[in-house]
Amino acid sequence: MQEILLILAIQLVYVPLMTLRTIFLVKNMRLLASIFGVLEVLINVFALSIIFSGDQNFIAMLVYALGFGLGIPLGTMIEGKLAVGYVSVTINTQEKNQELIDMLRDNGFAITTYISQGRDSDRFKYEILAKRNREKELFNLVESIEPKAFIISYEPKSFRGGFLVDRMRNKKFKLKKKTGEN
């Protein structure tokens, strides 16, 4: 019975690592993906050595598969909590809302505004690039002031230039200066 529980526990570690490795690969975070890949293979080989040592126990194989299935939602839940990366959020309103613009900027969001043409009239479009872990906060702020706004978010794979990139570069420079790195 201990062996069966060990196999389940191993799968509940292995599959979330595999999920995170895949996500890091998609987000072009190669070093983290490589580290997670090494851990993933070590854990998988260990689990398989337990299953295939001695008698090929059908229950052990079944628990291995069950642990794999349970590990997938666990891995996506962990990744959702980590919220690695950035989101590009587009907000559309029927009227220009300066209060919304000021409030978003006051809360540290870089926002670019446009006037666009909708089916029946002009629309006001706001584009924001934010850290993914602030997406819910951003949605809540918008909905508190502009409850009828149309909001859509995307995950950009890469970006260059602009306010946010400059701010990130300045933070890295200040951190290096503070720690004395070159």
Side-chain angles (χ1 to χ4, degrees):
M1 184 62 169
Q2 281 181 323
E3 187 176 278
I4 299 297
L5 292 175
L6 180 60
I7 291 168
L8 181 63
I10 288 170
Q11 283 299 86
L12 292 176
V13 172
Y14 163 69
V15 178
L17 281 176
M18 181 177 61
T19 304
L20 291 171
R21 177 190 51 83
T22 303
I23 289 166
F24 290 144
L25 270 175
V26 168
K27 293 182 186 266
N28 209 22
M29 300 171 84
R30 294 182 197 135
L31 180 61
L32 277 174
S34 296
I35 292 168
F36 277 64
V38 169
L39 293 172
E40 178 187 330
V41 169
L42 286 172
I43 291 169
N44 195 31
V45 168
F46 181 67
L48 290 174
S49 71
I50 293 170
I51 292 170
F52 293 121
S53 65
D55 297 333
Q56 269 63 52
N57 184 342
F58 178 74
I59 293 174
M61 292 180 209
L62 189 63
V63 168
Y64 182 85
L66 179 66
F68 190 95
L70 292 172
I72 292 170
L74 180 62
T76 55
M77 185 180 77
I78 291 168
E79 195 281 330
K81 296 283 184 198
L82 292 174
V84 175
Y86 293 86
V87 289
S88 176
V89 178
T90 301
I91 303 163
N92 285 297
T93 61
Q94 290 185 346
E95 307 208 2
K96 184 175 182 178
N97 190 325
Q98 192 62 46
E99 179 188 3
L100 175 65
I101 295 166
D102 293 340
M103 188 263 309
L104 290 173
R105 286 184 174 146
D106 289 345
N107 280 279
F109 293 102
I111 178 171
T112 302
T113 63
Y114 303 91
I115 298 175
S116 56
Q117 197 165 9
R119 186 185 71 183
D120 299 324
S121 65
D122 285 346
R123 297 286 189 236
F124 295 85
K125 185 175 179 179
Y126 315 98
E127 287 188 2
I128 301 162
L129 181 67
K131 287 189 173 188
R132 206 171 126 231
N133 62 4
R134 295 192 69 198
E135 183 178 26
K136 281 185 182 176
E137 173 192 357
L138 174 59
F139 274 52
N140 290 335
L141 288 170
V142 172
E143 289 170 351
S144 72
I145 291 181
E146 192 69 68
K148 291 184 179 182
F150 174 74
I151 309 169
I152 188 167
S153 70
Y154 311 90
E155 282 194 54
K157 185 175 178 194
S158 60
F159 49 87
R160 288 190 182 146
F163 173 77
L164 188 62
V165 174
D166 288 342
R167 189 164 53 180
M168 288 186 300
R169 192 175 295 127
N170 287 337
K171 281 185 180 180
K172 283 182 183 178
F173 179 74
K174 287 177 185 174
L175 181 63
K176 283 182 178 180
K177 204 172 178 182
K178 195 183 256 187
T179 60
E181 293 179 32
N182 290 327

